[in-house]
Amino acid sequence: MVQSLNLRYRTAAESDQDRANAIFSGAVLVYRSLPAMHALVGCLREITLLEIGLNDPCSAESMLGSREFRRRASCVRQTVRENINVGRLYKKVFTEVGVDVSAIFYDHFKLRFQPSNEATRSRYMLDLPAHRDTWGSNIHSQINWWAPVWPVTVDRTIGIFPAQWHVPVSNSSADWSYRELMQHLRRDESTEYPMLPQCRVPPSPAEAVPVIIQPGDIMAFSGAHLHCSMPNRSGLMRISTETRTVSAHDLFYSRAAKNIDCGASVSHFDWFRHIETGDSLADHGSRGRNQCV
Ligand SMILES: [Fe+2]
C-alpha cells in the first residue's frame, strides 16, 4: 500500500530553523507561485527554447533524432550551469522563502530532461531509480529543491517513497566511491559504474508518490528521502530544474535527518559552494561536530 506523503503548502516565508525542523522530520514543503520562481522558469524556458530550437521542447524527442536531441540537450544543461541569471534568480527564490542566503551552499543549478523514448536517454537523462541523495553526499543536513519548468503529470515527474522515511533500505553506499566514479568516467564516458549508490533490491516505482506541482512552484525535501524519477512513457519530455543546498546554520546546530542506512565513510562537503562567495563548504568553519569528513 502506498503511504501518504507529508506534503505541506507554505504561503509565507519561514525561518531556516522552522524549515529544517519540518524537512528533517520528513515533510515535503511546497512554496506556491513565487514571483522569483516564475522569473526563474521564464529564464530557463528562454535558454531551452533557444538551444533546442523548437516551440515545444517537450516534443523534441519526436521532432529531432535522438542523437541531435542529446547534443542540443547537453548544450542547454551547460548553458544553465554557467548562466549568471539562473544563479541570481535561484538566490532570489531562496530569499523569498526565507532562507538566509549568507549561510547557504549549493552544488549546481541543473536543468534536467527526462525523455520518454528509450533511445533518447543518455547517462544524464535516465529514469533515476530509487535512492537517497545522502547515500552519496553523506551530509544529512542536505535539502533538495525541485521544480517543473514545463507542466508535469503523474507519469513524468519526481516520486517519493514516504514509507521508507523511517525504514532502512539495503544499499551500496558503503562501497560506492565518487573518486572511483570520476576515474571510470575519465576512461570511458559510458561506464556502467553507477552515478550514485543504489538500492540492493529497488522498490517498484508504483510504491512512490508522484508529486505534481505547477511551474512557478518549488518543493523542498530532505536529501534523505528515498525518491526516484517516475518512469516516463508519456510520449513527452519532462523538463525540470533542481539543486541541492546545505545551510551552515543547520550544520552548526546539528539540524539533520536521522541516518538510518547510509554506510558511506566520506562526507562530500567539497560538492557544495557558497552561493555568494563561491567558497567551498569543505573550507567552512561552522560544520557541526558530528559531521566529520
Ligand atoms: Fe536525487
Side-chain angles (χ1 to χ4, degrees):
M1 194 181 85
V2 175
Q3 189 170 315
S4 64
L5 193 60
N6 182 5
L7 203 59
R8 299 189 201 165
Y9 293 93
R10 295 298 204 236
T11 52
E14 64 193 323
S15 70
D16 286 335
Q17 183 174 356
D18 288 346
R19 182 180 317 97
N21 288 343
I23 285 177
F24 298 135
S25 57
V28 173
L29 306 185
V30 176
Y31 302 92
R32 272 178 156 164
S33 200
L34 298 172
M37 196 60 224
H38 281 291
L40 176 58
V41 164
C43 175
L44 293 170
R45 285 186 178 185
E46 200 177 310
I47 294 169
T48 308
L49 290 168
L50 197 70
E51 301 278 0
I52 297 291
L54 296 172
N55 289 332
D56 178 13
C58 295
S59 303
E61 56 185 317
S62 55
M63 309 280 285
L64 304 167
S66 292
R67 194 174 168 170
E68 180 57 17
F69 172 73
R70 283 201 298 268
R71 190 189 68 76
R72 294 189 197 185
S74 170
C75 293
V76 178
R77 284 198 301 271
Q78 191 63 28
T79 304
V80 166
R81 277 170 82 116
E82 294 167 357
N83 188 278
I84 292 169
N85 280 333
V86 171
R88 184 181 59 79
L89 289 166
Y90 252 112
K91 191 174 150 193
K92 228 171 157 185
V93 169
F94 293 145
T95 305
E96 269 183 22
V97 303
V99 169
D100 177 359
V101 292
S102 73
I104 215 77
F105 294 76
Y106 74 106
D107 60 351
H108 297 289
F109 300 128
K110 291 185 186 171
L111 192 94
R112 187 159 140 68
F113 295 96
Q114 187 199 3
S116 70
N117 178 345
E118 191 68 45
T120 312
R121 296 192 183 111
S122 69
R123 184 170 190 84
Y124 301 100
M125 297 197 287
L126 299 172
D127 291 348
L128 284 178
H131 66 282
R132 304 189 202 273
D133 280 25
T134 46
W135 289 344
S137 68
N138 196 26
I139 301 175
H140 300 272
S141 301
Q142 181 185 315
I143 293 178
N144 291 9
W145 302 81
W146 185 93
V149 177
W150 267 271
V152 291
T153 50
V154 287
D155 52 358
R156 55 187 178 115
T157 188
I158 189 170
I160 295 183
F161 296 84
Q164 272 71 33
W165 173 252
H166 291 296
V167 179
V169 174
S170 177
N171 68 85
S172 61
S173 56
D175 306 319
W176 184 85
S177 156
Y178 181 66
R179 185 181 294 180
E180 218 171 304
L181 168 65
M182 289 296 112
Q183 285 169 353
H184 279 276
L185 281 174
R186 270 192 291 274
R187 282 199 297 267
D188 172 16
E189 263 250 322
S190 56
T191 173
E192 300 274 294
Y193 196 90
M195 297 287 274
L196 281 169
Q198 297 179 323
C199 296
R200 302 277 187 210
V201 184
S204 162
E207 293 171 38
V209 177
V211 182
I212 305 296
I213 58 174
Q214 304 302 316
D217 302 344
I218 189 165
M219 72 180 214
F221 62 100
S222 167
H225 250 307
L226 195 74
H227 60 285
C228 69
S229 310
M230 297 309 288
N232 184 2
R233 307 291 179 268
S234 66
L236 291 171
M237 188 84 61
R238 172 190 123 193
I239 307 177
S240 53
T241 183
E242 63 197 53
T243 191
R244 283 150 280 275
T245 62
V246 178
S247 164
H249 297 322
D250 291 344
L251 290 180
F252 185 80
Y253 292 110
S254 299
R255 299 191 290 242
K258 192 174 169 192
N259 178 12
I260 56 167
D261 57 14
C262 175
S265 54
V266 174
S267 294
H268 285 285
F269 292 104
D270 55 314
W271 287 356
F272 296 85
R273 58 198 157 131
H274 195 273
I275 199 166
E276 290 173 330
T277 64
D279 293 344
S280 171
L281 181 56
D283 302 326
H284 196 265
S286 55
R287 297 205 310 261
R289 275 172 297 179
N290 59 352
Q291 299 269 354
C292 46
V293 180

